[in-house]
């Protein structure tokens, strides 16, 4: 059974960078069994009700500004899969999760930057999913758990975000300097809790995790919460493995977690 993944998408410039992290993601795509399809939850698609893409061919969304011109020339021509959309819809119905399908939205950079690094040929069908910051972590986990059976059909479930993502704390002048200890402490606490699948603590990370307010600022938790969707997709196995971790700009985390075997 293929695992589920939480992948930090970092800065949009990952799309044009060649560094240790982009090389890791390139290799990860080669090491994983080639999936029959990909379901990706993106921190950059927010909705108060679960959205499921039903798109034949995705447009590439450039949902960022002020970056090098070459980034706006990148196209990731992913295609959808109506049969897989229907399977997802049926699973959401069975689990009492409200949803709507979306026939128009393309792939935002939280999705296409990651997918392009993993699968540059864009030859695997993709279903894009929104995340809902208004839900509790437990409810977000249940959305992922509702889709867990897809992994038995070699459908790769990816949640794209970042464990530490506070743009107000980034050291833009020092992209590869020493990482901030507060970010490391937060990530270590999250990692220790993930490895023992301590849901009670993880669901209360805002009050229990050190420096939670700095790592996951009150004005935006959308990058952190995708991890609960990815975890939920491995609820039957409850196994977490840290595949990669580094930092850019002092505290922007590049963490990749694998859930399940």
């Amino acid at each position: 059974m293929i695992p589920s993944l939480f992948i930090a998408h970092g800065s949009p410039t990952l799309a044009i960078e060649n560094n240790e992290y982009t090389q890791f993601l390139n290799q990860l795509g080669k090491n994983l069994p080639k999936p029959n399809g990909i379901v990706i939850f993106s921190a950059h698609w927010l909705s108060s009700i679960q959205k499921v893409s039903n798109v034949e061919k995705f447009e590439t969304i450039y949902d960022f500004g002020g970056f090098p011109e070459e980034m706006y020339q990148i196209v990731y021509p992913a295609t959808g899969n109506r049969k897989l959309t229907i399977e997802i819809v049926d699973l959401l119905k069975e689990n009492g999760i409200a949803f709507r399908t979306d026939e128009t939205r393309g792939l935002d950079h939280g999705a296409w930057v990651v997918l392009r690094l993993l699968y540059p040929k864009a030859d695997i069908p993709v279903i894009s999913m929104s995340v809902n910051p208004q839900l509790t972590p437990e409810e977000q986990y249940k959305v992922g758990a509702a889709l867990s059976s897809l992994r038995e059909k070699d459908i790769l479930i990816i949640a794209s975000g970042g464990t530490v993502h506070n743009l107000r704390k980034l050291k833009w002048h020092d992209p590869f300097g020493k990482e901030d200890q507060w970010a490391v402490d937060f990530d270590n606490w999250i990692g220790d809790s993930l490895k023992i699948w301590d849901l009670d603590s993880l669901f209360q990370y805002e009050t229990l995790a050190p420096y939670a307010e700095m790592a996951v600022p009150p004005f935006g938790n959308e990058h952190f919460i995708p991890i609960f969707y990815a975890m939920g997709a491995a609820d039957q196995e409850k196994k977490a493995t840290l595949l990669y971790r580094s930092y850019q700009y002092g505290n922007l985390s590049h963490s990749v977690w694998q859930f399940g075997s």
Side-chain angles (χ1 to χ4, degrees):
M1 182 161 56
I2 201 165
S4 61
L5 298 170
F6 172 81
I7 300 178
H9 60 250
S11 166
T13 53
L14 277 182
I16 57 173
E17 293 175 0
N18 180 16
N19 55 40
E20 184 181 281
Y21 186 43
T22 62
Q23 292 167 17
F24 169 81
L25 292 177
N26 288 153
Q27 191 59 46
L28 179 61
K30 297 172 183 175
N31 292 344
L32 289 168
K34 187 173 181 178
N36 293 323
I38 298 171
V39 176
I40 185 161
F41 291 89
S42 172
H44 289 276
W45 190 7
L46 308 182
S47 66
S48 59
I49 186 171
Q50 182 62 57
K51 295 287 187 68
V52 186
S53 70
N54 187 22
V55 176
E56 184 176 343
K57 186 172 183 178
F58 289 97
E59 293 185 2
T60 305
I61 302 175
Y62 308 101
D63 50 334
F64 44 76
F67 289 93
E69 182 60 30
E70 62 185 296
M71 293 185 59
Y72 303 91
Q73 308 305 318
I74 296 173
V75 174
Y76 188 75
T79 59
N81 183 299
R82 180 163 175 74
K83 181 181 178 183
L84 182 52
T85 294
I86 292 171
E87 285 189 64
I88 292 169
V89 163
D90 287 343
L91 289 170
L92 295 175
K93 286 179 181 176
E94 289 173 17
N95 287 274
I97 297 169
F99 68 91
R100 290 179 188 156
T101 57
D102 185 288
E103 285 73 30
T104 60
R105 193 178 190 276
L107 290 179
D108 58 67
H109 81 270
W112 67 257
V113 169
V114 167
L115 294 175
R116 184 168 174 265
L117 288 167
L118 291 172
Y119 302 108
K121 294 181 181 179
D123 57 351
I124 302 169
V126 173
I127 306 299
S128 182
M129 307 279 287
S130 66
V131 298
N132 184 356
Q134 298 173 27
L135 297 178
T136 65
E138 184 175 8
E139 290 170 326
Q140 292 152 357
Y141 183 97
K142 287 179 178 178
V143 174
L147 306 184
S148 61
S149 63
L150 294 175
R151 294 175 47 229
E152 299 172 7
K153 301 178 180 180
D154 287 334
I155 302 299
L156 177 61
I157 298 174
I158 299 174
S160 171
T163 51
V164 183
H165 189 278
N166 186 340
L167 299 182
R168 298 180 185 178
K169 296 293 183 182
L170 297 187
K171 299 173 181 175
W172 292 107
H173 64 283
D174 192 14
F176 297 106
K178 183 175 174 56
E179 63 270 16
D180 292 331
Q181 190 59 47
W182 63 265
V184 175
D185 289 348
F186 176 81
D187 264 340
N188 284 342
W189 185 93
I190 294 296
D192 291 344
S193 300
L194 287 172
K195 288 174 182 176
I196 60 173
W197 215 266
D198 184 357
L199 293 181
D200 288 341
S201 294
L202 286 165
F203 290 166
Q204 300 178 70
Y205 76 90
E206 291 176 289
T207 54
L208 297 181
Y211 306 106
E213 190 165 319
M214 292 173 69
V216 187
F219 52 81
N221 66 354
E222 71 286 338
H223 278 75
F224 183 73
I225 62 172
I227 204 165
F228 295 120
Y229 293 83
M231 277 191 84
D235 180 67
Q236 295 172 331
E237 294 174 276
K238 296 180 173 64
K239 179 183 178 182
T241 306
L242 180 62
L243 300 183
Y244 184 92
R245 189 173 80 178
S246 67
Y247 298 88
Q248 201 171 20
Y249 307 110
N251 53 70
L252 183 64
S253 67
H254 290 161
S255 297
V256 179
W257 283 91
Q258 174 178 303
F259 300 113
S261 303

